[in-house]
Amino acid sequence: MKGFMKRWILSCMAFMWVSVICGQNKFVVSGYVTDSKSGEELIGAAVSIQEIPAAGVYTNEYGFYSLSVPQGKLTIAVSLIGYEYLSVPVDITKSVKLNLDLTQKITRLGEVTVSSEKRNDNVTRNQMGIDKLNIQEIKNLPSFFGEKDVLKTLQLLPGIKSAGEGNSGFNVRGGTTDQNLILLDGATVYNPSHLMGFFSVFNPDAIKDVTMYKGSLPAEFGGRLSSVLDIRMDDGNNKKIEASGGIGLISSRLTVGGPLRKERGSFIVSARRTYADLIVRGLARAGVLKDTTLRDPKLYFYDLNAKANYRFTEKDRVFLSGYFGRDVLGLPDFGFDWGNSTATVRWNHLFNDKLFLNTSLIFNNFTYTISNGSTVDPINIVSKIRDFSVRQDYQYSSGHNNQVRFGFESTWHRMVPGTITGADTNTVFKSLPVSNSVESSVYFSHTLNLTQHLNINYGLRISEFSLLGDAPFFIYSSYNYADSAKSIVDSTRKVISYIRPEPRFSVNYVFNDRNSVKASYTRNVQYLHLLSNSTTGSPTDMWIPSSYNTLPEISDQYAFGYYRNFASNNWEFSAEVYYKSLFQQVDYINGAILNFNSNVESQLLYGKGRAYGLELLLKKKYGRFSGWIGYTLSRTERRFEDINRGAWYPARQDRTHDVSVVAIYEFPRKWTFSSTWVYNTGNAVTFPKGVYVIDNRPVLLYTDRNGNRMPAYHRLDISVTKQFTERKNYRSSLTFSLYNAYSHDNAWTITFRQNDKTGQIEAVQTTLFKLVPSVSYDFRF
Amino acid sequence: MKSLTRIFFLAGVPLILSVSCQKVIDIGVFNSAPQLVAEGTITDQQGPCIVKLTKTIDIDNFAGIPSVTGADVEISDSAGVKETLTEAGNGIYISNTILGIPGHKYKLMINSGGQLYSAVSVMPHPVTDFRLGIKKEVAGTSGGSPGTGGEPYQYRVSYAITDPGEYENYYRLVIFHNNMEISSRRVFDDKFHNGKVIEDDFVLHDTLNFRPGDLIEIDLQNIDRDIYNFFRTLRMATGGLSFLSASPANPLSNITNGGLGYFSACSVIKKHLTIPG
């Protein structure tokens, strides 16, 4: 930990130095963009100068912007989806502070009105492979059991695919689900799902902004190969107390927010709890469910989000945010519960109108507990991942669209793969060794406009990972068995460390305000690896650090895109192609034992991967009618020496075609209709080719890994929302949704069994959800 | 693992009513080259050692499994004993004299149509303490399979083994009802109990088949690690959770040259129970 402190101090000093040399003498307009009604800072609002089209910036994660301007009379313009366009004339004679208030266009729940302003951020922005979701967009779309879900809405975008029926796990550009970094107010969420993946842990009422980076990560992010999903919690209204909530079929939600002190600070508390257990109990007691052990089940999840912020001075603001969620599943003879908790303290400080600093202290903890319920041998096994992080992010603006970002991050991971409690004297199962590691990085990136048409961004992230001692470490000369452990290192010092540079580069050539092309190269490194041999994400999936045997995973992504807006920016079109090479990917030997195995690394195989594809998106952003059509053509393959005789084979998540169509139509103040339709090629799976007999019972014979395909998947969802007339500030709406509206038999699994009568082997397809209707009631006052 | 299946089911329940419809589908015709399958066991008990040789068959044509005839099958002992097995028809090859001795290493050699296969297994020492019990109880009690046949009672067998601490031990239970084998895939190791008493219990499925006075024989086999892994992965491949595995695979065989199945040298302790009234 000493080395870590040293690095920490050195990095700080390096940054201070950078901030000193970057001085320039132009005037600066800077400030916060906020929501006029709630006073909340707005993320990603485009602030530009009408007289100088190329000079434009976006507000950062805290709603702050800084724009260098020449002397004279200028018009500052601000635009953001869902808000009225704002233009403010200013006469620049010196640097000024200008806080801008935007008025929401949404006057009723779920309503979006027509807009004709020019908004071409998608064309002019340097960043590629980025998707931003408007929370209102999420709320308008059909939902699964009435639960609006951030992660499932994201799956409707090109390049982002669902990990399975009704599943909140997702694959980005051929990556596995563990290659996504999911951040909630900066804290890593290791397991973002509830109820075996059917629901995500993000309660949409508590969320303000969702940004997804598909591989072309800005230098400030790292640690995962495929994507970063940056979710920011709502700050709460700093002008008046507000409450909102909803009642659905399986859960209810309530959110309360308001000022801590008017215009200086606000808070928000949001809670959600399911009552599925009550339904199960009812069904079991009424005799609908035969299994008698279901009569008194424990089965629920809950989420609690809380956040507060306070502006101490004009230049200092502190945010505190936290999340706590838990799933509880229990039968008389088996118990299982898990959950995440995160806490973040952030301090925004403005050194001057050009230099913005955010300092964060982050804590997160994921635990699961299994109790085996055996009457003879009761055992509780607890597994944990706990992180403490500190990070500083500096943003320096100078000149037109000339922005420098730099900072550092350091995280202490403590992973407890399995600690046993409550075992009787007859059990010798030892708790698995705890691993400690430190993951640190420093980064620098610079975005600048070379000409009016050309802007570039270059950056470098240098990451370092150290596995710390005190647990025994093994080196396996060959896989399969623990006895191949060659030597054992048992020390309390740093065991092994890796340093990996991660260069990032992107260029954007803007032909005119409607057309642009972008290209990027990104190298990402991932030091933590998820071991899971299951098709559905399970809480028992285990994270392991990089070690002697498991090297850091690396990906190189090359992407190229064309962006075009039509009809006064009401329509946008984009086409992106990407090619990704992946190294040090992890797979498992046949019959691998992943849980409670102190030699788990002896069960792993290492290989490489490649993924490439084309993503098309045509989107109508504004108007009564809005929506999009997304199409992805892609291939994802892996190559392991010991799988399929070393040949390239399709990864499970390889899907050739993926289509999504989203349409929303609104009658202002009355009704909203929306529908989504998805189609995708089935996953690559392994079907048996032959059969043989052991002990007079059939055993299936498998030949090639992932040599077969599930049937194509398609599904239509529709929903109708009725807004009721506003009464004394009380607004409410009722939503009906149909999931799988034409009740298609989508294959969740295909299994093989012997027919009792004919004795032949037959394939059986299980469909999880046919037509599922749901209803929910939402309110706000 | 059964509980885990139920948890998955339970997780789905609130979402139910709409849930889980199954249908038989046609996934096309598959061709696979026939592969040799061996099931061979040598024990420390009197009686012939049996090796059964069959072949794999295409999955859409599972009628009669072809047996392998005319093969040369030989078992040898690390102490130098060697015997060629006699073909008894239907792919079954039997020995006349060879008897397994705990601690010895056994090698199976097969020559079938010019293809050579072999397998090695070391016979573990038998444990000395193996105890059994049986009781009749109310159906649906913890661990039972609720509602099997609808009987109000079920039979629970409990067992205890004193595990030797000096080695890793692997066990397999083979259960016979009136001399008919009814279960043979229950395997476990001593990972959590090395050197202690291993105690567990299970319910006899299909309660109606059992009548008071029926004879239950339980053979405790001390098997080697390869065989444990074979049966463990066999259970994974055929058990209820296989559909959740991202990459289904063949059971880990100890037969070389692409052969399937197993050759096990095991020591056996036989114990008997009577179904209570």
Side-chain angles (χ1 to χ4, degrees):
Chain A
M1 294 313 273
K2 223 173 176 184
F4 161 54
M5 283 306 287
K6 213 186 216 169
R7 260 199 320 277
W8 195 79
I9 292 163
L10 279 176
S11 340
C12 278
M13 283 162 65
F15 296 128
M16 294 308 173
W17 176 74
V18 174
S19 66
V20 171
I21 57 160
C22 301
Q24 266 196 36
N25 41 5
K26 264 202 168 177
F27 297 125
V28 177
V29 180
S30 64
Y32 289 92
V33 176
T34 51
D35 180 309
S36 60
K37 216 169 174 184
S38 70
E40 267 196 75
E41 278 69 16
L42 298 171
I43 302 171
V47 184
S48 58
I49 305 164
Q50 278 181 354
E51 289 77 7
I52 313 164
V57 293
Y58 298 93
T59 54
N60 71 9
E61 308 84 279
Y62 305 95
F64 178 75
Y65 75 97
S66 169
L67 197 59
S68 288
V69 291
Q71 193 167 359
K73 291 192 173 166
L74 299 169
T75 313
I76 305 281
V78 195
S79 67
L80 180 66
I81 291 184
Y83 287 85
E84 300 283 354
Y85 183 76
L86 177 73
S87 64
V88 186
V90 281
D91 190 358
I92 304 287
T93 54
K94 59 179 173 55
S95 288
V96 289
K97 192 141 205 68
L98 185 65
N99 289 338
L100 299 157
D101 272 0
L102 294 188
T103 312
Q104 254 197 70
K105 285 194 155 165
I106 301 144
T107 52
R108 296 286 186 279
L109 272 163
E111 181 195 328
V112 177
T113 42
V114 185
S115 144
S116 58
E117 280 79 54
K118 288 192 173 182
R119 283 154 191 182
N120 58 351
D121 328 346
N122 59 313
V123 171
T124 56
R125 179 177 217 135
N126 181 284
Q127 178 69 40
M128 66 186 301
I130 184 170
D131 286 309
K132 286 184 86 69
L133 272 190
N134 183 315
I135 286 299
Q136 200 55 48
E137 231 164 30
I138 297 170
K139 292 186 175 172
N140 272 337
L141 291 176
S143 58
F144 180 63
F145 285 93
E147 295 296 307
K148 308 287 180 191
D149 199 311
V150 173
L151 300 185
K152 283 184 203 151
T153 307
L154 278 169
Q155 294 167 4
L156 296 168
L157 294 165
I160 306 169
K161 300 172 184 185
S162 162
E165 173 82 66
N167 202 297
S168 56
F170 55 95
N171 301 109
V172 179
R173 289 186 170 171
T176 52
T177 50
D178 66 311
Q179 291 171 349
N180 306 313
L181 179 63
I182 299 174
L183 298 173
L184 181 64
D185 272 353
T188 305
V189 178
Y190 281 94
N191 187 323
S193 64
H194 281 307
L195 264 179
M196 301 299 175
F198 293 121
F199 302 99
S200 82
V201 299
F202 305 110
N203 174 357
D205 285 355
I207 287 164
K208 168 172 162 180
D209 185 83
V210 177
T211 307
M212 161 69 97
Y213 300 92
K214 293 186 288 190
S216 305
L217 306 187
E220 63 260 37
F221 292 119
R224 295 290 186 280
L225 296 192
S226 291
S227 77
V228 171
L229 179 61
D230 189 16
I231 297 178
R232 299 279 163 166
M233 265 157 56
D234 224 342
D235 293 319
N237 194 319
N238 72 10
K239 295 183 178 169
K240 66 177 187 64
I241 295 263
E242 218 177 35
S244 65
I247 298 165
L249 277 187
I250 67 158
S251 84
S252 284
R253 294 164 278 127
L254 183 68
T255 303
V256 180
L260 280 172
R261 197 174 132 198
K262 212 168 180 186
E263 319 243 326
R264 288 296 286 272
S266 58
F267 75 95
I268 188 166
V269 177
S270 188
R272 170 170 73 161
R273 199 230 194 249
T274 59
Y275 24 76
D277 44 346
L278 306 178
I279 301 171
V280 175
R281 196 170 304 163
L283 290 175
R285 293 207 171 138
V288 179
L289 295 170
K290 295 277 181 282
D291 194 336
T292 51
T293 57
L294 294 179
R295 278 193 193 140
D296 197 18
K298 285 188 207 143
L299 170 73
Y300 57 89
F301 67 77
Y302 58 89
D303 292 308
L304 190 67
N305 292 73
K307 188 168 178 177
N309 72 88
Y310 196 80
R311 191 186 294 282
F312 287 92
T313 71
E314 264 308 297
K315 292 185 167 177
D316 293 283
R317 193 171 181 199
V318 172
F319 296 78
L320 285 172
S321 52
Y323 164 80
F324 185 79
R326 204 125 198 107
D327 272 68
V328 178
L329 287 172
L331 292 173
D333 60 348
F334 190 75
F336 196 11
D337 66 296
W338 71 93
N340 295 283
S341 44
T342 73
T344 316
V345 183
R346 281 170 301 163
W347 169 37
N348 285 181
H349 178 69
L350 266 180
F351 288 98
N352 52 51
D353 49 22
K354 288 176 178 174
L355 186 64
F356 177 93
L357 164 66
N358 175 59
T359 306
S360 308
L361 292 174
I362 302 161
F363 163 81
N364 62 280
N365 190 23
F366 171 74
T367 56
Y368 76 81
T369 308
I370 295 178
S371 38
N372 71 347
S374 161
T375 47
V376 188
D377 249 341
I379 300 175
N380 277 310
I381 297 166
V382 181
S383 180
K384 279 185 202 181
I385 308 170
R386 194 196 64 196
D387 287 356
F388 280 109
S389 311
V390 53
R391 68 177 291 156
Q392 278 203 309
D393 301 279
Y394 293 79
Q395 291 170 27
Y396 180 83
S397 312
S398 100
H400 298 324
N401 205 3
N402 191 349
Q403 223 188 30
V404 176
R405 284 176 173 240
F406 53 95
F408 76 94
E409 182 181 11
S410 188
T411 303
W412 168 29
H413 303 289
R414 181 181 159 84
M415 298 182 177
V416 182
T419 299
I420 194 156
T421 55
D424 64 11
T425 49
N426 222 350
T427 306
V428 292
F429 178 68
K430 285 194 194 74
S431 298
L432 297 178
V434 172
S435 89
N436 282 288
S437 53
V438 174
E439 183 175 352
S440 308
S441 57
V442 290
Y443 72 88
F444 168 86
S445 83
H446 183 196
T447 309
L448 78 162
N449 271 10
L450 290 176
T451 72
Q452 210 176 339
H453 292 293
L454 185 66
N455 62 67
I456 63 164
N457 170 282
Y458 59 91
L460 178 66
R461 179 183 177 87
I462 297 172
S463 51
E464 197 262 2
F465 185 87
S466 299
L467 186 60
L468 304 176
D470 79 12
F473 295 94
F474 302 96
I475 298 175
Y476 301 98
S477 52
S478 75
Y479 51 85
N480 254 331
Y481 291 120
D483 344 2
S484 74
K486 221 181 199 171
S487 65
I488 297 163
V489 182
D490 191 356
S491 81
T492 48
R493 288 169 295 117
K494 184 158 87 180
V495 175
I496 190 165
S497 74
Y498 294 99
I499 295 184
R500 294 284 185 268
E502 303 174 46
R504 315 273 166 91
F505 178 77
S506 64
V507 55
N508 179 9
Y509 188 84
V510 183
F511 295 102
N512 52 43
D513 59 2
R514 281 160 303 157
N515 278 287
S516 72
V517 288
K518 304 178 195 180
S520 72
Y521 162 74
T522 315
R523 166 166 283 205
N524 296 330
V525 178
Q526 176 163 347
Y527 296 100
L528 302 180
H529 320 272
L530 183 72
L531 306 185
S532 162
N533 202 15
S534 143
T535 51
T536 58
S538 159
T540 57
D541 294 349
M542 187 167 103
W543 289 89
I544 60 160
S546 291
S547 65
Y548 283 108
N549 309 288
T550 312
L551 302 181
E553 297 176 42
I554 293 175
S555 83
D556 283 321
Q557 177 176 277
Y558 305 86
F560 178 80
Y562 171 68
Y563 306 82
R564 173 91 165 90
N565 282 10
F566 314 79
S568 314
N569 291 317
N570 274 322
W571 288 81
E572 64 176 58
F573 168 77
S574 69
E576 288 191 16
V577 288
Y578 65 90
Y579 182 90
K580 203 151 76 166
S581 300
L582 302 146
F583 306 96
Q584 293 301 327
Q585 302 297 288
V586 176
D587 213 307
Y588 321 104
I589 60 167
N590 283 350
I593 305 174
L594 300 180
N595 288 106
F596 315 119
N597 182 348
S598 54
N599 286 292
V600 72
E601 286 192 302
S602 67
Q603 310 286 302
L604 307 184
L605 299 174
Y606 306 100
K608 53 188 180 177
R610 63 184 180 199
Y612 45 95
L614 163 72
E615 297 168 1
L616 303 176
L617 179 69
L618 177 67
K619 186 171 186 178
K620 177 141 188 310
K621 289 195 284 187
Y622 311 108
R624 280 190 165 190
F625 171 74
S626 62
W628 66 83
I629 299 175
Y631 171 73
T632 311
L633 175 68
S634 66
R635 184 161 292 270
T636 306
E637 294 172 313
R638 287 158 83 86
R639 186 177 186 172
F640 286 74
E641 224 175 276
D642 296 289
I643 298 174
N644 287 1
R645 297 161 301 279
W648 285 101
Y649 69 94
R652 201 181 71 82
Q653 67 273 20
D654 175 59
R655 292 178 201 155
T656 317
H657 305 284
D658 193 284
V659 181
S660 48
V661 181
V662 174
I664 302 169
Y665 192 85
E666 302 184 57
F667 294 101
R669 295 180 179 78
K670 286 195 177 76
W671 297 89
T672 305
F673 294 93
S674 68
S675 69
T676 57
W677 184 74
V678 292
Y679 172 92
N680 61 255
T681 309
N683 279 342
V685 287
T686 311
F687 286 153
K689 292 283 158 59
V691 64
Y692 58 105
V693 165
I694 296 286
D695 298 341
N696 299 315
R697 268 163 285 179
V699 179
L700 302 170
L701 172 71
Y702 296 95
T703 52
D704 293 311
R705 173 86 63 102
N706 293 352
N708 301 87
R709 287 277 162 189
M710 294 291 276
Y713 179 98
H714 55 97
R715 190 187 84 228
L716 175 75
D717 299 343
I718 51 181
S719 92
V720 181
T721 302
K722 164 76 178 139
Q723 272 109 37
F724 299 108
T725 319
E726 179 169 343
R727 261 184 225 145
K728 289 182 190 160
N729 250 338
Y730 182 86
R731 291 170 286 163
S732 60
S733 65
L734 194 62
T735 304
F736 293 96
S737 280
L738 285 181
Y739 180 88
N740 200 358
Y742 56 78
S743 202
H744 180 66
D745 281 348
N746 283 307
W748 181 55
T749 58
I750 292 178
T751 49
F752 294 81
R753 69 176 181 206
Q754 189 175 18
N755 186 303
D756 290 341
K757 294 191 183 89
T758 64
Q760 291 281 331
I761 304 289
E762 58 192 18
V764 181
Q765 170 184 309
T766 303
T767 299
L768 210 45
F769 305 112
K770 296 186 81 167
L771 179 74
V772 183
S774 63
V775 61
S776 62
Y777 175 78
D778 290 79
F779 58 87
R780 178 179 280 271
F781 55 87
Chain B
M1 276 335 231
K2 193 141 190 251
S3 299
L4 201 55
T5 325
R6 260 163 61 231
I7 283 290
F8 273 91
F9 171 69
L10 185 57
V13 163
L15 322 170
I16 240 167
L17 299 177
S18 50
V19 155
S20 268
C21 79
Q22 291 196 328
K23 65 176 183 188
V24 174
I25 56 163
D26 182 12
I27 56 161
V29 178
F30 292 116
N31 289 308
S32 59
Q35 281 172 261
L36 180 101
V37 182
E39 293 170 79
T41 308
I42 178 164
T43 70
D44 59 349
Q45 305 284 307
Q46 290 298 331
C49 144
I50 296 173
V51 175
K52 187 178 170 192
L53 299 182
T54 53
K55 276 185 195 161
T56 64
I57 191 167
D58 291 350
I59 190 164
D60 51 350
N61 185 28
F62 181 61
I65 282 285
S67 49
V68 176
T69 52
D72 296 331
V73 181
E74 181 191 282
I75 291 177
S76 56
D77 179 328
S78 49
V81 183
K82 198 181 267 189
E83 182 178 350
T84 301
L85 275 60
T86 323
E87 191 170 347
N90 289 328
I92 291 169
Y93 298 78
I94 54 172
S95 69
N96 290 313
T97 54
I98 196 164
L99 180 68
I101 300 164
H104 287 205
K105 184 194 259 183
Y106 291 86
K107 186 173 187 185
L108 170 72
M109 305 263 279
I110 300 162
N111 181 346
S112 170
Q115 290 285 321
L116 298 177
Y117 304 87
S118 68
V120 170
S121 181
V122 178
M123 186 177 294
H125 290 277
V127 294
T128 48
D129 179 39
F130 172 47
R131 283 162 286 146
L132 285 177
I134 189 164
K135 66 174 179 185
K136 187 175 178 176
E137 63 182 19
V138 177
T141 315
S142 164
S145 54
T148 336
E151 311 81 349
Y153 58 91
Q154 64 192 14
Y155 298 106
R156 181 180 300 274
V157 175
S158 56
Y159 59 87
I161 299 162
T162 305
D163 182 79
E166 57 268 41
Y167 329 97
E168 288 177 2
N169 293 85
Y170 304 92
Y171 304 99
R172 176 182 179 209
L173 292 180
V174 184
I175 302 157
F176 300 86
H177 172 219
N178 290 339
N179 296 320
M180 288 275 293
E181 186 192 295
I182 55 168
S183 161
S184 63
R185 293 182 183 176
R186 186 176 284 270
V187 289
F188 47 95
D189 65 359
D190 60 356
K191 184 162 127 189
F192 297 160
H193 306 276
N194 188 29
K196 308 273 181 170
V197 176
I198 299 173
E199 283 180 299
D200 205 352
D201 51 42
F202 56 87
V203 169
L204 293 171
H205 288 285
D206 304 317
T207 310
L208 270 185
N209 291 345
F210 300 95
R211 286 176 206 291
D214 281 4
L215 185 69
I216 301 292
E217 177 184 314
I218 299 186
D219 290 4
L220 174 69
Q221 294 187 350
N222 286 263
I223 53 177
D224 75 5
R225 185 171 59 190
D226 288 344
I227 302 306
Y228 168 72
N229 276 319
F230 173 80
F231 283 101
R232 180 178 66 80
T233 52
L234 176 69
R235 210 169 44 180
M236 278 166 76
T238 54
L241 281 177
S242 61
F243 67 91
L244 291 170
S245 166
S247 50
N250 300 322
L252 297 169
S253 173
N254 65 344
I255 316 279
T256 61
N257 197 18
L260 300 161
Y262 67 94
F263 168 61
S264 171
C266 56
S267 52
V268 181
I269 302 178
K270 293 178 192 282
K271 295 271 174 180
H272 296 88
L273 290 169
T274 311
I275 295 289

